[in-house]
């Protein structure tokens, strides 16, 4: 049930600047300054990474209570589904993306998507009523999360889920 999801944000992508992983600590710091504390699930795959980004993420985890921040690498389908199903918000701060499979997977599990406006591929997959969650920078993304926290996320989760379940007229499997 969507109302029982955790206060948790999920990021799925490589630990690179191009994918926006370096922005996660700044988003978290903004939310912390506003008095909000979210759990984080950082799901990565492969060994492509920016060493400085990885070091910054590890430092962030160590400084900001590691029990709120979990890193997962190369996890299986069931574990991935579980991470999405526990999370209330999905962020995609990427500067470059092909077809955003993780966006579709996240919406299919009822995550509210908050994405960067990096091109038409992701923006075209967003439900029109969630277009306010297409952002231009990390600060705008953090503001969207803050606003969602204030207004509640269940309605937006329902919109994302319904939109995804209608995706190309097929039932999604993840």
């Amino acid at each position: 049930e969507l109302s029982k999801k955790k206060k948790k944000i999920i990021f799925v992508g490589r630990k690179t600047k191009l994918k926006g992983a370096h922005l996660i600590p700044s988003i978290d710091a903004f939310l912390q300054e506003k008095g909000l504390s979210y759990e984080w699930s950082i799901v990565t795959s492969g060994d492509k990474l920016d060493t400085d980004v990885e070091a910054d993420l590890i430092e962030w985890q160590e400084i900001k209570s590691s029990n709120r921040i979990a890193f997962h690498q190369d996890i299986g389908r069931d574990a991935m589904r579980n991470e999405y199903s526990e999370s209330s918000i999905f962020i995609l701060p990427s500067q470059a993306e092909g077809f955003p499979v993780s966006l579709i997977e996240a919406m299919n599990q009822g995550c509210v998507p908050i994405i960067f406006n990096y091109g038409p591929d992701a923006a075209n997959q967003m439900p029109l009523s969630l277009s306010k969650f297409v952002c231009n920078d990390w600060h705008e993304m953090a503001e969207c999360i803050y606003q969602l926290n204030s207004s509640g996320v269940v309605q937006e989760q329902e919109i994302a889920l319904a939109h995804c379940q209608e995706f190309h007229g097929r039932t999604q499997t993840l």
Side-chain angles (χ1 to χ4, degrees):
E1 185 174 306
L2 295 176
S3 63
K4 294 186 179 182
K5 284 179 163 275
K6 293 182 178 182
K7 195 170 175 181
K8 184 176 183 180
I9 299 170
I10 186 169
F11 166 86
V12 179
R14 293 189 300 274
K15 295 178 193 173
T16 65
K17 287 184 178 170
L18 197 58
K19 294 298 180 181
H22 66 294
L23 301 172
I24 296 169
S26 297
I27 294 168
D28 184 56
F30 175 91
L31 296 172
Q32 292 276 314
E33 287 172 16
K34 297 279 190 178
L36 300 178
S37 183
Y38 277 87
E39 288 182 42
W40 287 86
S41 179
I42 313 300
V43 182
T44 61
S45 63
D47 48 359
K48 288 185 181 178
L49 57 88
D50 294 344
T51 324
D52 57 332
V53 172
E54 183 175 49
D56 288 347
L57 289 173
I58 290 169
E59 180 182 352
W60 166 62
Q61 182 188 35
E62 290 172 355
I63 292 172
K64 295 292 182 181
S65 18
S66 60
N67 61 339
R68 286 190 314 111
I69 303 162
F71 290 95
H72 310 280
Q73 185 160 347
D74 297 320
I75 62 176
R77 191 174 185 85
D78 289 340
M80 188 73 229
R81 185 180 302 114
N82 186 56
E83 288 303 314
Y84 282 130
S85 68
E86 287 184 352
S87 302
S88 54
I89 297 172
F90 166 79
I91 62 168
L92 185 65
S94 181
Q95 298 294 322
E97 198 73 38
F99 183 81
V101 173
S102 60
L103 171 62
I104 303 304
E105 291 174 344
M107 287 193 299
N108 189 52
Q109 294 297 320
C111 297
V112 177
I114 304 177
I115 67 171
F116 270 13
N117 188 15
Y118 57 78
D121 289 336
N124 287 340
Q125 302 309 319
M126 292 284 281
L128 188 57
S129 57
L130 296 182
S131 63
K132 64 186 173 194
F133 300 120
V134 178
C135 307
N136 294 309
D137 58 36
W138 75 264
H139 190 263
E140 195 176 324
M141 184 172 271
E143 281 285 351
C144 284
I145 296 167
Y146 178 74
Q147 293 302 322
L148 268 174
N149 185 75
S150 300
S151 63
V153 297
V154 174
Q155 181 180 359
E156 286 83 358
Q157 289 171 326
E158 289 171 349
I159 292 168
L161 182 60
H163 176 75
C164 186
Q165 290 176 340
E166 296 168 5
F167 183 69
H168 292 295
R170 296 183 292 210
T171 302
Q172 301 302 304
T173 58
L174 183 64

